[in-house]
Amino acid sequence: MSGKLYRYKIMKIPREWTFENTSVASSFDTHVREQLPWYDMVTGAIAHIARHFIPKNGLVYDIGASTGNVGRAIAETLKERKAQLVGIESSAEMCAQYQADGELVHIDALDYRFQPFDLAVCNLVLM
């Protein structure tokens, strides 16, 4: 993730900010990096830590998957270990922006029937 230059349109923050807003979802990657300058560092740390917990043929949940940044960050480890990623995202607008391998489920995590898993990531979702 380090060294990448992100070129996205600058987000005009709507009065009623919500992930259900198409403008918010389509500009999320830019917005989160503007507001949380440590976002890529944390994502990289998640990928580093995840390598210690993802076994061969493992199952990983990304709860609050947003645009798939965690899935993209751990993609190499998932592929090497033939592990499965399931992204859980409650916002249809964010699901439309999702770009990562694996399965994406559009559902509130409280309603999802989780299977036994090896790793669950909740990056910025438990606030």
Side-chain angles (χ1 to χ4, degrees), residues 54 74-84 101:
I54 301 173
I74 64 174
E76 186 176 320
T77 302
L78 293 168
K79 184 177 179 180
E80 289 172 356
R81 299 181 188 174
K82 296 180 173 69
Q84 178 186 5
D101 291 337

Side-chain angles (χ1 to χ4, degrees), residues 51-110:
R51 285 194 292 271
H52 299 283
F53 293 95
I54 301 173
K56 186 174 182 179
N57 300 312
L59 174 59
V60 177
Y61 286 110
D62 181 9
I63 304 166
S66 67
T67 63
N69 68 303
V70 169
R72 291 187 303 272
I74 64 174
E76 186 176 320
T77 302
L78 293 168
K79 184 177 179 180
E80 289 172 356
R81 299 181 188 174
K82 296 180 173 69
Q84 178 186 5
L85 172 67
V86 177
I88 307 292
E89 178 55 55
S90 63
S91 165
E93 287 74 9
M94 293 300 281
C95 286
Q97 303 300 317
Y98 187 81
Q99 295 180 13
D101 291 337
E103 178 184 358
L104 177 64
V105 181
H106 174 218
I107 192 170
D108 186 308
L110 296 174

Side-chain angles (χ1 to χ4, degrees), residues 32-45 123-124 127:
V32 75
R33 286 172 177 84
E34 289 172 349
Q35 300 303 310
L36 307 175
W38 42 263
Y39 184 74
D40 287 323
M41 181 181 67
V42 169
T43 302
N123 187 26
L124 302 178
M127 296 181 185

Side-chain angles (χ1 to χ4, degrees), residues 109-126:
L110 296 174
D111 297 325
Y112 185 77
R113 297 183 62 107
F114 289 87
Q115 301 300 310
F117 57 89
D118 301 290
L119 176 67
V121 177
C122 300
N123 187 26
L124 302 178
V125 77
L126 299 176

